[in-house]
């Protein structure tokens, strides 16, 4: 089992920066693929960035590529999402999630979720 706790959200002006943190625990956390998801108001939750163990490769959605950076501190069991040049459309609740590898279909699926942290970017 994996437990995830997000923090670092808040109110930031257009063009500002925030760093989100995801603290993990559990025997499966250290080797898990971790994703950051965003759920904008009135919209579905979508993957923003993901990172494999121990730290590569990484992947980003087109909307955040070049502005956001995902990283992980494996020694301290923390995953970060550095968000620069924030835009109003980045507003939403951000969730971190840990994936489980299913050998039956040779695919990763996100199984464990945090409670989310809210990010609001003012215009």
């Amino acid at each position: 089992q994996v437990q995830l706790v997000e923090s670092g959200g808040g109110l930031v002006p257009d063009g500002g920066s925030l760093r989100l943190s995801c603290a993990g625990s559990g025997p499966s956390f250290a080797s898990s693929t971790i994703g950051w998801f965003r759920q904008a108001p009135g919209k579905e939750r979508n993957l923003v960035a993901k990172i494999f163990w121990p730290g590569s490769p990484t992947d980003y959605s087109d909307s955040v590529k070049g502005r956001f950076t995902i990283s992980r501190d494996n020694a301290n069991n923390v995953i970060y999402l550095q968000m620069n040049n924030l835009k109003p459309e980045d507003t939403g609740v951000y969730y971190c999630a840990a994936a489980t590898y299913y050998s039956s279909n040779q695919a990763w699926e996100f199984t464990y979720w945090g409670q989310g942290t809210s990010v609001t970017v003012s215009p």
Side-chain angles (χ1 to χ4, degrees), residues 4-7 93-96 113-117:
L4 304 168
V5 180
E6 303 96 332
S7 62
V93 177
Y94 285 73
Y95 301 86
C96 65
W113 297 82
Q115 85 290 346
T117 185

Side-chain angles (χ1 to χ4, degrees), residues 71-110:
S71 62
R72 62 195 303 169
D73 182 348
N74 294 324
N76 294 300
N77 296 323
V78 180
I79 289 81
Y80 299 103
L81 184 67
Q82 178 66 47
M83 306 184 295
N84 297 325
N85 192 23
L86 283 161
K87 304 176 181 180
E89 54 263 39
D90 295 318
T91 293
V93 177
Y94 285 73
Y95 301 86
C96 65
T100 299
Y101 183 75
Y102 291 90
S103 59
S104 59
N105 58 358
Q106 300 181 24
W108 288 90
E109 298 184 13
F110 290 98

Side-chain angles (χ1 to χ4, degrees), residues 1-77:
Q1 292 290 304
V2 174
Q3 291 182 313
L4 304 168
V5 180
E6 303 96 332
S7 62
L11 178 64
V12 64
D14 190 355
S17 298
L18 284 174
R19 188 180 73 167
L20 305 183
S21 299
C22 174
S25 63
S28 300
F29 174 78
S31 59
S32 294
T33 294
I34 304 297
W36 279 101
F37 292 77
R38 177 174 66 207
Q39 187 166 24
K43 298 183 179 180
E44 296 181 352
R45 183 164 57 192
N46 294 307
L47 180 66
V48 172
K50 63 181 178 182
I51 184 169
F52 292 85
W53 182 89
S56 65
T58 58
D59 194 25
Y60 301 90
S61 67
D62 290 338
S63 64
V64 307
K65 193 172 299 181
R67 299 187 296 119
F68 291 11
T69 302
I70 188 171
S71 62
R72 62 195 303 169
D73 182 348
N74 294 324
N76 294 300
N77 296 323

